Amino acid sequence: MRPRSLFLLFARAELVTWALLILGMVLKYVTRTTELGVRVFGLLHGVVFLGYVLVCLALWTNHRWRSTILARALLAGVVPFATLWFEKWARRHKELTGDWRLGRNGSYAYSPQEHILAWAMRHPAAAILLGALIVAGTTAALLLAGPPTAWLH
């Protein structure tokens, strides 16, 4: 899968999970019918968001984005529906063009993150598994930590 396609997959999944989470919040706080939507869609949104972060980090490394572009991409994942805005901005500024640069016969990796991405390009199945383990481990740690509102007490 090309970098642009991978980004679009996660950016649009982030959009959908935001919509589902907001629906769950309406059911919980407005209609007061159930909080199941927040629990299920909140977890789903969190998992997709963590995947989106990993994809943004991969594109930052691969496309040699400036830190400000990475910051915009990450902020877009935090603000509801903003991944659509970032996607349009990135297309207009050609920040999603090109293929994977560090593949088997690609460029030499210089930085630590480029070495990681080059390894991922050479071992895609292992990289997907490792990414899934990172997302699952982070999700488990956050679930153990409790809701963000409890962190302030």
Side-chain angles (χ1 to χ4, degrees):
M1 180 176 280
R2 298 189 65 178
R4 178 176 177 235
S5 301
L6 184 63
F7 178 81
L8 295 179
L9 175 72
F10 276 86
R12 291 175 183 171
E14 182 70 5
L15 250 167
V16 170
T17 62
W18 260 121
L20 292 171
L21 178 56
I22 290 170
L23 172 64
M25 291 168 64
V26 167
L27 292 173
K28 179 178 180 178
Y29 298 110
V30 177
T31 66
R32 300 188 191 282
T33 53
T34 182
E35 68 177 60
L36 185 63
V38 171
R39 288 183 184 199
V40 172
F41 299 143
L43 177 63
L44 179 63
H45 173 69
V47 167
V48 170
F49 173 75
L50 292 172
Y52 175 80
V53 168
L54 288 177
V55 168
C56 287
L57 290 171
L59 266 68
W60 170 64
T61 301
N62 187 71
H63 290 348
R64 292 185 173 151
W65 282 351
R66 294 182 314 276
S67 296
T68 55
I69 296 172
L70 175 63
R72 284 180 188 184
L74 295 176
L75 183 61
V78 175
V79 177
F81 311 116
T83 55
L84 181 61
W85 167 82
F86 180 79
E87 175 188 325
K88 288 181 180 184
W89 178 90
R91 280 185 184 193
R92 193 169 49 250
H93 290 85
K94 300 191 183 342
E95 297 294 347
L96 297 175
T97 59
D99 212 341
W100 293 107
R101 188 172 56 77
L102 298 164
R104 289 194 190 279
N105 297 315
S107 318
Y108 180 77
Y110 291 100
S111 66
Q113 65 267 25
E114 285 186 346
H115 283 286
I116 293 168
L117 188 58
W119 173 85
M121 295 296 101
R122 288 190 310 274
H123 306 92
I128 290 168
L129 179 61
L130 179 60
L133 289 173
I134 290 170
V135 168
T138 305
T139 300
L142 290 170
L143 286 172
L144 287 173
T149 53
W151 301 347
L152 302 174
H153 300 283

